[in-house]
Amino acid sequence: IYWYNYSVICLGINRNHNSSVCLVKDGEVLLHLENERLTKIKYDCLPIHAMLEITKYVDHIDRLGIAAFAEQDIDYWEGKDIFTHLVDNLSRSFKGKPFKTTDLSNHHHQLHAACSFYNSGFENALCIVIDGMGSEIYFKLDGQRVYGREHTSVFQGSYPASFELLEKHISYPTEIKGKVDIDSRMHVSNHMSPAQAFGHSSEFFGFAHMDAGKLMGMASYGQLNECVPPIYVDGKLNNRLFYIDDNLTKMFINNKNYPYMDLARDNFQAGADFAYALQTETQKHVKEYILDWVQKTKTKNVCLSGGYFLNCVANYDIMKSLPDDVSLYIEPLSNDAGTSMGAAKMLYHGETKDMTIRKQENIYYGRNT
């Protein structure tokens, strides 16, 4: 039951790459804007320009949610993070209408799931998120507090704002040799996500880290080649094609053990064959993972989001493989720009308990002037 009898305005801000803002009033999106649309800097990570658009649409907000990978630093004097401080001072009318700020930085995957779920038109759904790296997840390893980064998460989404965690996979930079103390739904390993594999392979071939689409393009020129090293190999770290540095910030291709990769960098066909293997192997892995969860939960509605699901070839394969009685929704805003929408909608539905389903009909949310 939606029991509020006055308007509720929620603002979501993503302060990562693909930085964006999203304004939601009474459940409807007034504005969703990526900062790169204004600065012309691809993947821009500082949403200041987009934030300056807010007062063209509203004279106050009620709730502010900040999305990122880790908690935001607080200014010592003001007691606020820089984004809350800016929103608070954008308009004089804000000063007489205080708002509540929620730091959602440690809920990166949940915000991806929220974006897809609220846009899907489903009453409830299995929400699967796969991307390169999400929020920092802390746990104890042999009694010491350490952290990894989420790369795959599964939630059960339902109205008004319930996202029950079913499973989460976490990347850790080295081989796990000690006792891990963590929630039983979370699995820690030095394995990479399919999205990580694309990102760091892109760097290896001289593209930007976020140029996974170029690897997808290369894959269309490739073919099965037995010389391509295995993409997924369980076991010791040094036996795998990829490895992560100790700070969990970068993944490298282990070309020391795989001289084929030196050839792939200089020879287009060899590189295309590697891209083909990367596409087909990750696609198979993701499809099997989704089908396994559909079978375990007996769900009839599936939402997919996170950077991996910008892979249209894999998406089509997944769509063809699902049972006929399962409905699929793949979020168009699967990159991190979608997390600002997930934040705004989740705060709105959580605040108002509004059960209204609003299916996304288009993604033209930009400036109206």
Side-chain angles (χ1 to χ4, degrees):
I1 299 173
Y2 179 35
W3 52 268
Y4 269 59
N5 58 6
Y6 57 88
S7 292
V8 175
I9 303 173
C10 296
L11 170 64
I13 298 174
N14 171 41
R15 60 181 178 86
N16 289 333
H17 55 255
N18 303 119
S19 63
S20 62
V21 301
C22 182
L23 274 170
V24 169
K25 180 179 181 181
D26 296 336
E28 300 290 345
V29 177
L30 297 180
L31 173 72
H32 180 267
L33 183 61
E34 291 189 57
N35 211 68
E36 68 171 33
R37 303 296 184 183
L38 305 178
T39 64
K40 310 305 179 185
I41 300 173
K42 200 165 182 64
Y43 313 126
D44 198 350
C45 61
L46 194 61
I48 303 300
H49 299 77
M51 289 175 66
L52 295 174
E53 298 288 317
I54 294 169
T55 54
K56 297 178 182 178
Y57 294 81
V58 296
D59 63 359
H60 76 283
I61 62 170
D62 299 292
R63 295 291 302 272
L64 168 63
I66 300 178
F69 295 141
E71 292 183 358
Q72 170 69 17
D73 292 333
I74 302 298
D75 181 86
Y76 179 81
W77 300 105
E78 293 289 339
K80 303 173 184 176
D81 63 88
I82 184 174
F83 301 103
T84 304
H85 185 69
L86 177 57
V87 173
D88 204 19
N89 288 279
L90 280 176
S91 169
R92 291 184 179 181
S93 62
F94 278 59
K95 295 183 181 297
K97 299 177 182 178
F99 56 90
K100 180 180 178 181
T101 298
T102 305
D103 190 341
L104 297 166
S105 302
N106 287 330
H107 300 276
H108 184 77
H109 278 193
Q110 186 176 332
L111 298 183
H112 272 305
C115 181
S116 64
F117 174 67
Y118 289 123
N119 289 339
S120 68
F122 299 146
E123 185 175 349
N124 55 71
L126 182 72
C127 303
I128 298 177
V129 180
I130 300 178
D131 65 7
M133 286 188 181
S135 295
E136 297 175 354
I137 305 296
Y138 287 85
F139 59 95
K140 287 188 177 180
L141 179 60
D142 280 345
Q144 299 294 316
R145 187 171 185 261
V146 297
Y147 77 91
R149 298 280 290 276
E150 58 185 358
H151 68 65
T152 299
S153 299
V154 182
F155 302 90
Q156 187 69 50
S158 60
Y159 280 87
S162 175
F163 294 91
E164 178 190 0
L165 178 66
L166 302 182
E167 183 172 84
K168 187 180 294 291
H169 290 265
I170 301 164
S171 289
Y172 188 68
T174 60
E175 194 172 1
I176 306 294
K177 296 181 179 180
K179 179 183 177 182
V180 175
D181 182 9
I182 197 170
D183 188 317
S184 60
R185 297 169 297 179
M186 301 189 184
H187 308 284
V188 183
S189 73
N190 58 21
H191 292 192
M192 61 179 172
S193 75
Q196 282 176 312
F198 268 96
H200 294 289
S201 295
S202 296
E203 286 186 321
F204 182 82
F205 283 99
F207 307 133
H209 180 81
M210 299 182 71
D211 281 341
K214 295 179 181 179
L215 264 292
M216 287 174 54
M218 285 181 66
S220 65
Y221 292 92
Q223 58 190 353
L224 183 64
N225 184 341
E226 293 181 355
C227 295
V228 177
I231 305 300
Y232 287 94
V233 180
D234 294 327
K236 292 184 179 180
L237 191 65
N238 289 335
N239 290 334
R240 301 175 67 242
L241 176 58
F242 297 84
Y243 67 94
I244 312 171
D245 74 349
D246 289 339
N247 294 320
L248 199 63
T249 56
K250 212 166 190 179
M251 187 172 291
F252 301 92
I253 287 185
N254 195 355
N255 57 322
K256 177 180 178 181
N257 288 352
Y258 297 106
Y260 174 88
M261 298 310 296
D262 288 328
L263 172 65
R265 198 204 303 257
D266 299 326
N267 181 284
F268 177 81
Q269 189 58 54
D273 291 348
F274 169 80
Y276 175 84
L278 182 66
Q279 175 69 37
T280 55
E281 289 298 315
T282 59
Q283 182 175 306
K284 177 184 176 183
H285 170 81
V286 171
K287 178 176 66 177
E288 290 175 350
Y289 186 77
I290 294 169
L291 290 173
D292 181 56
W293 271 104
V294 168
Q295 184 177 16
K296 283 193 293 188
T297 59
K298 308 300 182 186
T299 188
K300 298 302 179 186
N301 300 317
V302 176
C303 295
L304 305 179
S305 57
Y308 183 80
F309 296 109
L310 297 172
N311 189 319
C312 55
V313 176
N315 291 346
Y316 183 65
D317 189 45
I318 293 165
M319 182 184 69
K320 291 191 301 180
S321 303
L322 286 173
D324 292 338
D325 61 345
V326 174
S327 297
L328 176 66
Y329 176 80
I330 303 173
E331 177 54 54
L333 301 173
S334 277
N335 66 4
D336 283 0
T339 60
S340 64
M341 184 177 292
K345 290 198 170 191
M346 189 172 70
L347 288 178
Y348 167 77
H349 284 277
E351 177 83 9
T352 65
K353 312 305 179 190
D354 185 1
M355 301 288 286
T356 306
I357 296 174
R358 299 175 174 87
K359 184 178 180 180
Q360 180 168 251
E361 300 294 345
N362 67 70
I363 56 173
Y364 298 105
Y365 297 120
R367 292 188 297 182
N368 56 19
T369 56

